[in-house]
Amino acid sequence: MRLASLALASALATVSLTASLHGQRPDDQIDPRSLQLLAQGRALKAAGNLDGATDVLETAAAVDPRNRGAFTTLAEVAELRGLPGKAIRLYREALLLEPNDRGALAGQGEALVAKGAMAQARENLARLKTLCKGACPEATTLAGTIAKGPPVTTAQVAAPAKTAQE
């Protein structure tokens, strides 16, 4: 009796494991709905509708979390909005999917410069240079951005309050 229950348990485990493996898609096959949403998001971004682009691109990433293009385009939208911290995080998501994505490395490096993280931006530049054997436009652009340095921000000075006598 014990042997029969062990055999039944192992058979059920084998069936459930093979069924779950059979239903998975390979990593290089991205859901077509996600790709369609990515195309819509890029069109909205090009048209200047950043809110609509963000919504559609986030949906594309939710439909298929392996859609690296959705993450990089979302990061570009975040940069256009002046949100370098969010852009850095989104580029990191893209780089987790493909560590050698030159566009994501360069974009993250530019966002790091905007945030003031020069040492990390230089690390991205070094990684780009190792990936590119010859001329590399991404590395050239990032090197130029690093040479310029982070944007200069000035503190707003509040105007002195008017007194009751004025």
Side-chain angles (χ1 to χ4, degrees), residues 5-73:
S5 60
L6 282 174
L8 180 64
S10 70
L12 284 174
T14 304
V15 167
S16 65
L17 181 64
T18 57
S20 67
L21 290 176
H22 180 68
Q24 293 181 353
R25 294 188 311 268
D27 286 343
D28 60 348
Q29 292 180 351
I30 297 175
D31 190 325
R33 295 173 300 167
S34 181
L35 293 174
Q36 182 182 14
L37 289 166
L38 173 60
Q40 289 175 3
R42 285 181 173 159
L44 288 169
K45 176 187 159 227
N49 184 355
L50 299 182
D51 290 334
T54 300
D55 292 341
V56 171
L57 292 166
E58 285 176 348
T59 303
V63 167
D64 194 342
R66 295 168 299 149
N67 189 343
R68 185 171 29 114
F71 288 111
T72 56
T73 308

Short mmCIF file of all heavy atoms in Angstrom, two decimals, residues 5-73:
data_model
loop_
_atom_site.label_atom_id
_atom_site.label_comp_id
_atom_site.label_asym_id
_atom_site.label_seq_id
_atom_site.Cartn_x
_atom_site.Cartn_y
_atom_site.Cartn_z
N SER A 5 1.13 4.39 -3.02
CA SER A 5 0.93 5.84 -2.79
C SER A 5 2.18 6.63 -3.21
O SER A 5 2.06 7.74 -3.74
CB SER A 5 0.56 6.12 -1.34
OG SER A 5 1.59 5.68 -0.48
N LEU A 6 3.37 6.06 -2.98
CA LEU A 6 4.59 6.73 -3.42
C LEU A 6 4.66 6.79 -4.95
O LEU A 6 5.05 7.80 -5.53
CB LEU A 6 5.83 6.02 -2.88
CG LEU A 6 6.18 6.29 -1.43
CD1 LEU A 6 7.35 5.40 -1.00
CD2 LEU A 6 6.55 7.74 -1.26
N ALA A 7 4.28 5.72 -5.58
CA ALA A 7 4.28 5.68 -7.05
C ALA A 7 3.27 6.67 -7.60
O ALA A 7 3.55 7.37 -8.58
CB ALA A 7 3.97 4.27 -7.53
N LEU A 8 2.11 6.77 -6.98
CA LEU A 8 1.09 7.72 -7.41
C LEU A 8 1.57 9.15 -7.23
O LEU A 8 1.39 9.99 -8.11
CB LEU A 8 -0.21 7.47 -6.64
CG LEU A 8 -1.37 8.39 -7.01
CD1 LEU A 8 -1.78 8.17 -8.46
CD2 LEU A 8 -2.54 8.16 -6.08
N ALA A 9 2.20 9.46 -6.11
CA ALA A 9 2.71 10.81 -5.85
C ALA A 9 3.79 11.19 -6.86
O ALA A 9 3.82 12.32 -7.38
CB ALA A 9 3.25 10.90 -4.43
N SER A 10 4.69 10.27 -7.15
CA SER A 10 5.75 10.58 -8.12
C SER A 10 5.18 10.73 -9.52
O SER A 10 5.64 11.56 -10.30
CB SER A 10 6.86 9.53 -8.09
OG SER A 10 6.41 8.32 -8.62
N ALA A 11 4.17 9.95 -9.87
CA ALA A 11 3.54 10.07 -11.18
C ALA A 11 2.85 11.43 -11.31
O ALA A 11 2.96 12.10 -12.35
CB ALA A 11 2.54 8.95 -11.40
N LEU A 12 2.16 11.86 -10.28
CA LEU A 12 1.50 13.17 -10.30
C LEU A 12 2.52 14.30 -10.40
O LEU A 12 2.31 15.28 -11.13
CB LEU A 12 0.63 13.36 -9.06
CG LEU A 12 -0.69 12.60 -9.05
CD1 LEU A 12 -1.39 12.76 -7.71
CD2 LEU A 12 -1.59 13.09 -10.17
N ALA A 13 3.62 14.19 -9.70
CA ALA A 13 4.67 15.21 -9.76
C ALA A 13 5.27 15.28 -11.16
O ALA A 13 5.50 16.36 -11.70
CB ALA A 13 5.75 14.92 -8.73
N THR A 14 5.49 14.13 -11.77
CA THR A 14 6.05 14.09 -13.13
C THR A 14 5.09 14.72 -14.13
O THR A 14 5.49 15.51 -14.98
CB THR A 14 6.38 12.64 -13.53
OG1 THR A 14 7.27 12.09 -12.56
CG2 THR A 14 6.99 12.59 -14.91
N VAL A 15 3.81 14.39 -14.02
CA VAL A 15 2.81 14.92 -14.95
C VAL A 15 2.69 16.43 -14.79
O VAL A 15 2.65 17.17 -15.78
CB VAL A 15 1.45 14.23 -14.72
CG1 VAL A 15 0.33 14.97 -15.43
CG2 VAL A 15 1.51 12.80 -15.20
N SER A 16 2.65 16.92 -13.56
CA SER A 16 2.50 18.37 -13.37
C SER A 16 3.75 19.11 -13.84
O SER A 16 3.65 20.21 -14.39
CB SER A 16 2.21 18.69 -11.90
OG SER A 16 3.31 18.33 -11.09
N LEU A 17 4.93 18.55 -13.66
CA LEU A 17 6.16 19.19 -14.10
C LEU A 17 6.23 19.25 -15.62
O LEU A 17 6.53 20.30 -16.19
CB LEU A 17 7.38 18.44 -13.55
CG LEU A 17 8.73 19.02 -13.91
CD1 LEU A 17 8.89 20.41 -13.30
CD2 LEU A 17 9.85 18.12 -13.44
N THR A 18 5.92 18.17 -16.29
CA THR A 18 5.99 18.17 -17.75
C THR A 18 4.91 19.05 -18.35
O THR A 18 5.12 19.70 -19.37
CB THR A 18 5.89 16.74 -18.33
OG1 THR A 18 4.67 16.14 -17.88
CG2 THR A 18 7.08 15.90 -17.94
N ALA A 19 3.75 19.12 -17.73
CA ALA A 19 2.68 19.98 -18.25
C ALA A 19 3.06 21.45 -18.12
O ALA A 19 2.80 22.25 -19.02
CB ALA A 19 1.38 19.69 -17.50
N SER A 20 3.69 21.83 -17.02
CA SER A 20 4.07 23.23 -16.84
C SER A 20 5.21 23.62 -17.78
O SER A 20 5.25 24.73 -18.28
CB SER A 20 4.46 23.51 -15.39
OG SER A 20 5.65 22.83 -15.07
N LEU A 21 6.13 22.70 -18.05
CA LEU A 21 7.22 23.00 -18.96
C LEU A 21 6.74 23.07 -20.41
O LEU A 21 7.26 23.84 -21.22
CB LEU A 21 8.32 21.96 -18.85
CG LEU A 21 9.12 21.98 -17.55
CD1 LEU A 21 10.12 20.83 -17.53
CD2 LEU A 21 9.82 23.30 -17.37
N HIS A 22 5.74 22.27 -20.73
CA HIS A 22 5.23 22.25 -22.09
C HIS A 22 4.51 23.55 -22.44
O HIS A 22 4.55 24.01 -23.58
CB HIS A 22 4.28 21.06 -22.27
CG HIS A 22 3.71 20.95 -23.64
ND1 HIS A 22 4.48 20.63 -24.73
CD2 HIS A 22 2.45 21.15 -24.10
CE1 HIS A 22 3.71 20.62 -25.81
NE2 HIS A 22 2.47 20.93 -25.45
N GLY A 23 3.89 24.20 -21.48
CA GLY A 23 3.11 25.41 -21.73
C GLY A 23 3.95 26.68 -21.81
O GLY A 23 3.44 27.72 -22.19
N GLN A 24 5.22 26.64 -21.48
CA GLN A 24 6.04 27.85 -21.49
C GLN A 24 6.58 28.12 -22.88
O GLN A 24 6.88 27.21 -23.64
CB GLN A 24 7.20 27.71 -20.51
CG GLN A 24 6.75 27.66 -19.08
CD GLN A 24 7.94 27.54 -18.13
OE1 GLN A 24 9.06 27.35 -18.56
NE2 GLN A 24 7.68 27.63 -16.85
N ARG A 25 6.71 29.46 -23.18
CA ARG A 25 7.28 29.87 -24.46
C ARG A 25 8.78 30.10 -24.28
O ARG A 25 9.24 30.48 -23.21
CB ARG A 25 6.66 31.20 -24.90
CG ARG A 25 5.19 31.09 -25.22
CD ARG A 25 4.68 32.38 -25.83
NE ARG A 25 5.03 33.57 -25.09
CZ ARG A 25 4.30 34.12 -24.14
NH1 ARG A 25 3.16 33.58 -23.79
NH2 ARG A 25 4.68 35.22 -23.54
N PRO A 26 9.55 29.91 -25.34
CA PRO A 26 10.97 30.26 -25.26
C PRO A 26 11.14 31.76 -25.04
O PRO A 26 10.25 32.55 -25.36
CB PRO A 26 11.51 29.85 -26.64
CG PRO A 26 10.48 28.97 -27.24
CD PRO A 26 9.18 29.30 -26.60
N ASP A 27 12.28 32.15 -24.49
CA ASP A 27 12.52 33.54 -24.15
C ASP A 27 12.53 34.47 -25.35
O ASP A 27 12.25 35.65 -25.21
CB ASP A 27 13.85 33.67 -23.39
CG ASP A 27 13.74 33.15 -21.97
OD1 ASP A 27 12.60 33.00 -21.48
OD2 ASP A 27 14.78 32.89 -21.36
N ASP A 28 12.87 33.97 -26.52
CA ASP A 28 12.97 34.86 -27.67
C ASP A 28 11.63 35.11 -28.36
O ASP A 28 11.56 35.87 -29.31
CB ASP A 28 13.99 34.33 -28.68
CG ASP A 28 13.63 32.96 -29.22
OD1 ASP A 28 12.71 32.32 -28.65
OD2 ASP A 28 14.26 32.54 -30.20
N GLN A 29 10.56 34.50 -27.88
CA GLN A 29 9.24 34.71 -28.46
C GLN A 29 8.44 35.63 -27.55
O GLN A 29 7.92 35.22 -26.53
CB GLN A 29 8.50 33.40 -28.64
CG GLN A 29 9.10 32.50 -29.68
CD GLN A 29 8.33 31.20 -29.81
OE1 GLN A 29 7.45 30.90 -29.01
NE2 GLN A 29 8.66 30.41 -30.81
N ILE A 30 8.33 36.88 -27.95
CA ILE A 30 7.57 37.85 -27.16
C ILE A 30 6.13 37.84 -27.66
O ILE A 30 5.87 37.72 -28.85
CB ILE A 30 8.20 39.25 -27.29
CG1 ILE A 30 9.61 39.22 -26.70
CG2 ILE A 30 7.36 40.30 -26.60
CD1 ILE A 30 10.38 40.49 -26.87
N ASP A 31 5.21 37.98 -26.74
CA ASP A 31 3.79 37.97 -27.06
C ASP A 31 3.49 39.03 -28.12
O ASP A 31 3.85 40.19 -27.96
CB ASP A 31 3.00 38.25 -25.78
CG ASP A 31 1.52 38.02 -25.94
OD1 ASP A 31 0.98 38.29 -27.03
OD2 ASP A 31 0.89 37.59 -24.96
N PRO A 32 2.83 38.66 -29.21
CA PRO A 32 2.53 39.62 -30.27
C PRO A 32 1.69 40.81 -29.81
O PRO A 32 1.84 41.92 -30.31
CB PRO A 32 1.76 38.80 -31.32
CG PRO A 32 2.06 37.38 -31.02
CD PRO A 32 2.41 37.30 -29.57
N ARG A 33 0.82 40.59 -28.81
CA ARG A 33 0.03 41.71 -28.27
C ARG A 33 0.95 42.74 -27.63
O ARG A 33 0.74 43.94 -27.77
CB ARG A 33 -0.99 41.21 -27.25
CG ARG A 33 -2.05 40.31 -27.84
CD ARG A 33 -2.91 39.72 -26.76
NE ARG A 33 -2.06 38.93 -25.86
CZ ARG A 33 -2.43 38.47 -24.68
NH1 ARG A 33 -3.64 38.72 -24.23
NH2 ARG A 33 -1.60 37.77 -23.95
N SER A 34 1.99 42.27 -26.96
CA SER A 34 2.94 43.17 -26.33
C SER A 34 3.72 43.97 -27.38
O SER A 34 3.98 45.16 -27.21
CB SER A 34 3.90 42.38 -25.43
OG SER A 34 4.81 43.24 -24.78
N LEU A 35 4.08 43.30 -28.47
CA LEU A 35 4.79 44.00 -29.55
C LEU A 35 3.91 45.05 -30.22
O LEU A 35 4.37 46.13 -30.58
CB LEU A 35 5.30 43.00 -30.58
CG LEU A 35 6.40 42.05 -30.09
CD1 LEU A 35 6.73 41.01 -31.15
CD2 LEU A 35 7.64 42.83 -29.70
N GLN A 36 2.62 44.73 -30.36
CA GLN A 36 1.69 45.70 -30.94
C GLN A 36 1.54 46.91 -30.03
O GLN A 36 1.54 48.05 -30.48
CB GLN A 36 0.34 45.03 -31.18
CG GLN A 36 -0.68 45.95 -31.83
CD GLN A 36 -2.03 45.28 -32.01
OE1 GLN A 36 -2.31 44.23 -31.43
NE2 GLN A 36 -2.88 45.90 -32.81
N LEU A 37 1.44 46.67 -28.73
CA LEU A 37 1.35 47.77 -27.77
C LEU A 37 2.63 48.60 -27.76
O LEU A 37 2.58 49.83 -27.62
CB LEU A 37 1.05 47.22 -26.37
CG LEU A 37 -0.36 46.66 -26.17
CD1 LEU A 37 -0.44 45.86 -24.89
CD2 LEU A 37 -1.37 47.80 -26.16
N LEU A 38 3.77 47.95 -27.93
CA LEU A 38 5.04 48.66 -28.00
C LEU A 38 5.05 49.61 -29.19
O LEU A 38 5.47 50.77 -29.07
CB LEU A 38 6.20 47.67 -28.10
CG LEU A 38 7.60 48.26 -28.35
CD1 LEU A 38 8.00 49.21 -27.24
CD2 LEU A 38 8.61 47.15 -28.50
N ALA A 39 4.57 49.15 -30.34
CA ALA A 39 4.52 49.99 -31.53
C ALA A 39 3.59 51.19 -31.29
O ALA A 39 3.91 52.33 -31.67
CB ALA A 39 4.06 49.19 -32.73
N GLN A 40 2.45 50.96 -30.63
CA GLN A 40 1.53 52.06 -30.32
C GLN A 40 2.18 53.05 -29.36
O GLN A 40 2.04 54.26 -29.52
CB GLN A 40 0.25 51.52 -29.70
CG GLN A 40 -0.64 50.77 -30.65
CD GLN A 40 -1.84 50.14 -29.93
OE1 GLN A 40 -2.03 50.32 -28.72
NE2 GLN A 40 -2.64 49.39 -30.66
N GLY A 41 2.88 52.53 -28.37
CA GLY A 41 3.55 53.40 -27.40
C GLY A 41 4.62 54.26 -28.05
O GLY A 41 4.76 55.44 -27.73
N ARG A 42 5.39 53.67 -28.96
CA ARG A 42 6.42 54.45 -29.67
C ARG A 42 5.79 55.53 -30.53
O ARG A 42 6.32 56.64 -30.63
CB ARG A 42 7.28 53.52 -30.52
CG ARG A 42 8.25 52.70 -29.69
CD ARG A 42 9.11 51.79 -30.54
NE ARG A 42 10.13 51.15 -29.71
CZ ARG A 42 10.75 50.05 -30.04
NH1 ARG A 42 10.49 49.44 -31.19
NH2 ARG A 42 11.66 49.53 -29.24
N ALA A 43 4.65 55.22 -31.16
CA ALA A 43 3.96 56.23 -31.97
C ALA A 43 3.45 57.37 -31.10
O ALA A 43 3.57 58.55 -31.47
CB ALA A 43 2.82 55.57 -32.74
N LEU A 44 2.90 57.04 -29.96
CA LEU A 44 2.42 58.08 -29.04
C LEU A 44 3.57 58.94 -28.52
O LEU A 44 3.44 60.15 -28.38
CB LEU A 44 1.66 57.44 -27.87
CG LEU A 44 0.29 56.87 -28.21
CD1 LEU A 44 -0.25 56.04 -27.05
CD2 LEU A 44 -0.69 57.98 -28.57
N LYS A 45 4.70 58.31 -28.24
CA LYS A 45 5.88 59.05 -27.79
C LYS A 45 6.35 60.01 -28.88
O LYS A 45 6.66 61.17 -28.61
CB LYS A 45 7.00 58.08 -27.42
CG LYS A 45 8.30 58.75 -27.02
CD LYS A 45 9.40 57.72 -26.85
CE LYS A 45 10.72 58.41 -26.97
NZ LYS A 45 11.65 57.75 -27.83
N ALA A 46 6.39 59.52 -30.11
CA ALA A 46 6.81 60.36 -31.23
C ALA A 46 5.85 61.53 -31.45
O ALA A 46 6.27 62.62 -31.84
CB ALA A 46 6.92 59.53 -32.50
N ALA A 47 4.58 61.31 -31.14
CA ALA A 47 3.58 62.37 -31.30
C ALA A 47 3.60 63.35 -30.13
O ALA A 47 2.91 64.37 -30.17
CB ALA A 47 2.19 61.75 -31.45
N GLY A 48 4.36 63.02 -29.09
CA GLY A 48 4.46 63.92 -27.94
C GLY A 48 3.46 63.63 -26.83
O GLY A 48 3.40 64.36 -25.84
N ASN A 49 2.68 62.59 -26.97
CA ASN A 49 1.70 62.21 -25.95
C ASN A 49 2.39 61.30 -24.94
O ASN A 49 2.28 60.07 -25.01
CB ASN A 49 0.50 61.53 -26.60
CG ASN A 49 -0.60 61.19 -25.60
OD1 ASN A 49 -0.45 61.36 -24.39
ND2 ASN A 49 -1.70 60.69 -26.11
N LEU A 50 3.11 61.89 -23.99
CA LEU A 50 3.91 61.10 -23.04
C LEU A 50 3.05 60.33 -22.05
O LEU A 50 3.40 59.20 -21.67
CB LEU A 50 4.90 62.01 -22.31
CG LEU A 50 5.91 62.74 -23.20
CD1 LEU A 50 6.86 63.57 -22.36
CD2 LEU A 50 6.67 61.77 -24.07
N ASP A 51 1.91 60.91 -21.64
CA ASP A 51 1.03 60.19 -20.72
C ASP A 51 0.44 58.95 -21.38
O ASP A 51 0.44 57.86 -20.80
CB ASP A 51 -0.11 61.10 -20.23
CG ASP A 51 0.38 62.19 -19.30
OD1 ASP A 51 1.42 61.99 -18.64
OD2 ASP A 51 -0.28 63.24 -19.24
N GLY A 52 -0.06 59.10 -22.60
CA GLY A 52 -0.61 57.96 -23.32
C GLY A 52 0.45 56.92 -23.62
O GLY A 52 0.20 55.71 -23.51
N ALA A 53 1.65 57.38 -23.99
CA ALA A 53 2.74 56.45 -24.27
C ALA A 53 3.11 55.65 -23.03
O ALA A 53 3.31 54.43 -23.10
CB ALA A 53 3.96 57.21 -24.78
N THR A 54 3.17 56.32 -21.88
CA THR A 54 3.50 55.63 -20.64
C THR A 54 2.47 54.55 -20.33
O THR A 54 2.83 53.42 -19.99
CB THR A 54 3.58 56.63 -19.47
OG1 THR A 54 4.60 57.58 -19.76
CG2 THR A 54 3.89 55.94 -18.16
N ASP A 55 1.19 54.89 -20.47
CA ASP A 55 0.13 53.91 -20.18
C ASP A 55 0.23 52.69 -21.10
O ASP A 55 0.18 51.55 -20.63
CB ASP A 55 -1.25 54.56 -20.35
CG ASP A 55 -1.53 55.62 -19.29
OD1 ASP A 55 -0.85 55.61 -18.24
OD2 ASP A 55 -2.44 56.45 -19.51
N VAL A 56 0.40 52.93 -22.38
CA VAL A 56 0.44 51.82 -23.34
C VAL A 56 1.70 50.98 -23.15
O VAL A 56 1.66 49.75 -23.20
CB VAL A 56 0.34 52.36 -24.79
CG1 VAL A 56 0.60 51.27 -25.80
CG2 VAL A 56 -1.02 52.99 -25.02
N LEU A 57 2.83 51.64 -22.89
CA LEU A 57 4.09 50.90 -22.71
C LEU A 57 4.08 50.08 -21.42
O LEU A 57 4.63 48.97 -21.38
CB LEU A 57 5.27 51.87 -22.74
CG LEU A 57 5.53 52.51 -24.10
CD1 LEU A 57 6.49 53.68 -23.97
CD2 LEU A 57 6.06 51.48 -25.08
N GLU A 58 3.48 50.63 -20.36
CA GLU A 58 3.37 49.85 -19.13
C GLU A 58 2.49 48.62 -19.34
O GLU A 58 2.77 47.55 -18.80
CB GLU A 58 2.83 50.72 -17.99
CG GLU A 58 3.85 51.69 -17.46
CD GLU A 58 3.30 52.62 -16.39
OE1 GLU A 58 2.06 52.68 -16.21
OE2 GLU A 58 4.11 53.30 -15.75
N THR A 59 1.46 48.77 -20.16
CA THR A 59 0.61 47.64 -20.48
C THR A 59 1.39 46.60 -21.28
O THR A 59 1.27 45.39 -21.05
CB THR A 59 -0.63 48.09 -21.27
OG1 THR A 59 -1.33 49.07 -20.51
CG2 THR A 59 -1.57 46.93 -21.56
N ALA A 60 2.22 47.07 -22.22
CA ALA A 60 3.05 46.15 -23.01
C ALA A 60 3.99 45.36 -22.12
O ALA A 60 4.18 44.15 -22.30
CB ALA A 60 3.84 46.92 -24.06
N ALA A 61 4.57 46.03 -21.13
CA ALA A 61 5.48 45.34 -20.20
C ALA A 61 4.72 44.37 -19.30
O ALA A 61 5.25 43.32 -18.93
CB ALA A 61 6.25 46.35 -19.37
N ALA A 62 3.47 44.70 -18.98
CA ALA A 62 2.67 43.80 -18.14
C ALA A 62 2.21 42.57 -18.94
O ALA A 62 2.17 41.47 -18.40
CB ALA A 62 1.46 44.54 -17.58
N VAL A 63 1.88 42.77 -20.21
CA VAL A 63 1.44 41.65 -21.05
C VAL A 63 2.58 40.64 -21.21
O VAL A 63 2.36 39.43 -21.13
CB VAL A 63 0.95 42.15 -22.42
CG1 VAL A 63 0.78 41.01 -23.42
CG2 VAL A 63 -0.36 42.91 -22.27
N ASP A 64 3.80 41.14 -21.45
CA ASP A 64 4.96 40.25 -21.56
C ASP A 64 6.17 40.92 -20.93
O ASP A 64 6.77 41.82 -21.51
CB ASP A 64 5.25 39.92 -23.03
CG ASP A 64 6.20 38.75 -23.16
OD1 ASP A 64 6.90 38.42 -22.18
OD2 ASP A 64 6.25 38.16 -24.26
N PRO A 65 6.51 40.53 -19.70
CA PRO A 65 7.62 41.16 -18.99
C PRO A 65 8.99 40.94 -19.64
O PRO A 65 9.98 41.49 -19.18
CB PRO A 65 7.59 40.51 -17.60
CG PRO A 65 6.28 39.84 -17.49
CD PRO A 65 5.82 39.56 -18.88
N ARG A 66 9.06 40.14 -20.71
CA ARG A 66 10.33 39.93 -21.41
C ARG A 66 10.51 40.90 -22.56
O ARG A 66 11.48 40.81 -23.30
CB ARG A 66 10.39 38.49 -21.93
CG ARG A 66 10.43 37.47 -20.81
CD ARG A 66 10.20 36.08 -21.32
NE ARG A 66 8.87 36.04 -21.94
CZ ARG A 66 8.55 35.26 -22.96
NH1 ARG A 66 9.42 34.44 -23.46
NH2 ARG A 66 7.34 35.29 -23.46
N ASN A 67 9.57 41.85 -22.71
CA ASN A 67 9.63 42.82 -23.81
C ASN A 67 10.61 43.92 -23.44
O ASN A 67 10.25 44.93 -22.82
CB ASN A 67 8.24 43.37 -24.10
CG ASN A 67 8.19 44.20 -25.34
OD1 ASN A 67 9.22 44.65 -25.85
ND2 ASN A 67 6.99 44.42 -25.84
N ARG A 68 11.86 43.74 -23.80
CA ARG A 68 12.92 44.69 -23.48
C ARG A 68 12.66 46.06 -24.10
O ARG A 68 12.95 47.09 -23.51
CB ARG A 68 14.25 44.11 -23.96
CG ARG A 68 15.45 44.90 -23.60
CD ARG A 68 16.72 44.12 -23.95
NE ARG A 68 16.59 43.21 -25.06
CZ ARG A 68 17.23 43.34 -26.22
NH1 ARG A 68 18.05 44.33 -26.41
NH2 ARG A 68 17.06 42.46 -27.18
N GLY A 69 12.11 46.08 -25.30
CA GLY A 69 11.81 47.33 -25.98
C GLY A 69 10.84 48.19 -25.21
O GLY A 69 10.94 49.43 -25.21
N ALA A 70 9.88 47.57 -24.53
CA ALA A 70 8.93 48.33 -23.72
C ALA A 70 9.65 49.03 -22.57
O ALA A 70 9.37 50.20 -22.28
CB ALA A 70 7.84 47.40 -23.18
N PHE A 71 10.60 48.35 -21.95
CA PHE A 71 11.33 48.95 -20.84
C PHE A 71 12.23 50.10 -21.32
O PHE A 71 12.30 51.15 -20.67
CB PHE A 71 12.16 47.90 -20.09
CG PHE A 71 11.31 46.97 -19.26
CD1 PHE A 71 11.19 45.64 -19.61
CD2 PHE A 71 10.65 47.43 -18.14
CE1 PHE A 71 10.42 44.78 -18.86
CE2 PHE A 71 9.87 46.58 -17.38
CZ PHE A 71 9.75 45.25 -17.74
N THR A 72 12.91 49.90 -22.44
CA THR A 72 13.80 50.97 -22.92
C THR A 72 13.00 52.18 -23.38
O THR A 72 13.39 53.32 -23.13
CB THR A 72 14.72 50.47 -24.05
OG1 THR A 72 13.95 49.94 -25.11
CG2 THR A 72 15.70 49.44 -23.55
N THR A 73 11.87 51.96 -24.03
CA THR A 73 11.06 53.09 -24.48
C THR A 73 10.43 53.79 -23.28
O THR A 73 10.34 55.03 -23.26
CB THR A 73 9.99 52.62 -25.48
OG1 THR A 73 10.62 51.86 -26.51
CG2 THR A 73 9.28 53.79 -26.11
#
